[in-house]
Amino acid sequence: MQIPTVQDPERMTGLYLFDFGDWTAVGYTAEEVGLLLESEQYRDGKVYRIERAAPDGSMELRGVSTERFQLESGMLFYCDSEADARRDYAELDRRADEQRPPTRAFLHLADRGSDVTSGRFVVALVYPAEFDADVSRWLVELDYAGGAWVEGGTSVVTDYYAQQNDILERKQLWSRQSESSRSREEVFASVKRAAQR
């Protein structure tokens, strides 16, 4: 695999390299990679996250399975009282407005039902699984400590969906990258360009 030469390679850290087979392109956002993988034409491409880039153009890459872009993961913050859950929901919502998350996500405040003996109310933060480490770092940076107890991962999100919770409030959270992601048309028009940014 040939890594394209780019000016100021350090700015590529956190973005993605897409290996199309016959060529590679560097500088995609996660949303843009998702668009490529959804297409019939590029669904077999290989994806690498750029963990670090040096001034000499060398890059530390981490391979990412295409399945990671199709799975959802999340953090569920459980509370026994609705008042505590509403406070935690409002706090995370406010902080996400002040410092956007590293990926698009949604935030729910849900009631799991009167038959639940512990953690009846839950603040659910759900996002693409590829961003587990980034979202964890973001929550630490925010110093967010919601819920009496917390669960996280792909399986807890699957269970959350299966439980038929009563959603009391919901909000879409937009990422820092959402602003810089291009449209589907722009992404597909530039696939042969080695440096996407």
Side-chain angles (χ1 to χ4, degrees):
M1 174 176 66
Q2 182 72 30
I3 296 176
T5 303
V6 296
Q7 288 187 321
D8 302 321
E10 298 97 328
R11 67 188 169 87
M12 295 294 171
T13 299
L15 295 173
Y16 294 83
L17 179 144
F18 198 95
D19 184 351
F20 291 90
D22 295 334
W23 75 95
T24 59
V26 66
Y28 286 107
T29 65
E31 286 85 359
E32 293 168 348
V33 168
L35 291 172
L36 291 170
L37 293 174
E38 288 171 3
S39 75
E40 183 86 19
Q41 189 175 5
Y42 302 122
R43 69 175 179 205
D44 295 328
K46 292 185 177 33
V47 181
Y48 301 87
R49 180 167 173 157
I50 303 165
E51 297 292 340
R52 286 184 194 78
D56 67 1
S58 61
M59 295 182 183
E60 179 183 325
L61 304 175
R62 176 178 51 88
V64 181
S65 72
T66 56
E67 291 79 22
R68 291 291 291 174
F69 281 91
Q70 297 164 350
L71 289 175
E72 286 185 312
S73 189
M75 301 285 289
L76 275 60
F77 303 90
Y78 297 95
C79 297
D80 289 329
S81 80
E82 183 174 351
D84 288 345
R86 284 191 180 279
R87 183 196 65 236
D88 290 349
Y89 176 90
E91 181 183 355
L92 187 52
D93 182 22
R94 179 184 59 78
R95 290 188 182 193
D97 281 343
E98 293 170 358
Q99 183 178 337
R100 288 191 173 188
T103 184
R104 63 181 165 69
F106 69 76
L107 187 60
H108 280 181
L109 171 63
D111 181 348
R112 300 192 316 142
S114 57
D115 57 334
V116 175
T117 57
S118 179
R120 174 177 173 175
F121 298 93
V122 63
V123 175
L125 177 66
V126 179
Y127 48 84
E130 161 59 11
F131 288 91
D132 268 332
D134 300 286
V135 170
S136 294
R137 263 193 307 278
W138 174 70
L139 289 169
V140 168
E141 288 170 10
L142 294 181
D143 195 27
Y144 181 73
W149 52 284
V150 181
E151 286 186 308
T154 56
S155 62
V156 298
V157 170
T158 302
D159 292 345
Y160 171 74
Y161 286 145
Q163 291 171 353
Q164 303 296 314
N165 299 305
D166 181 19
I167 308 299
L168 305 174
E169 294 199 40
R170 69 180 70 217
K171 183 171 182 184
Q172 174 74 50
L173 303 180
W174 298 105
S175 74
R176 298 175 282 224
Q177 282 189 354
S178 295
E179 296 171 345
S180 62
S181 291
R182 298 166 295 166
S183 70
R184 178 182 175 82
E185 293 75 24
E186 291 172 301
V187 169
F188 281 82
S190 69
V191 292
K192 293 283 187 173
R193 198 168 59 212
Q196 296 292 313
R197 286 180 164 64

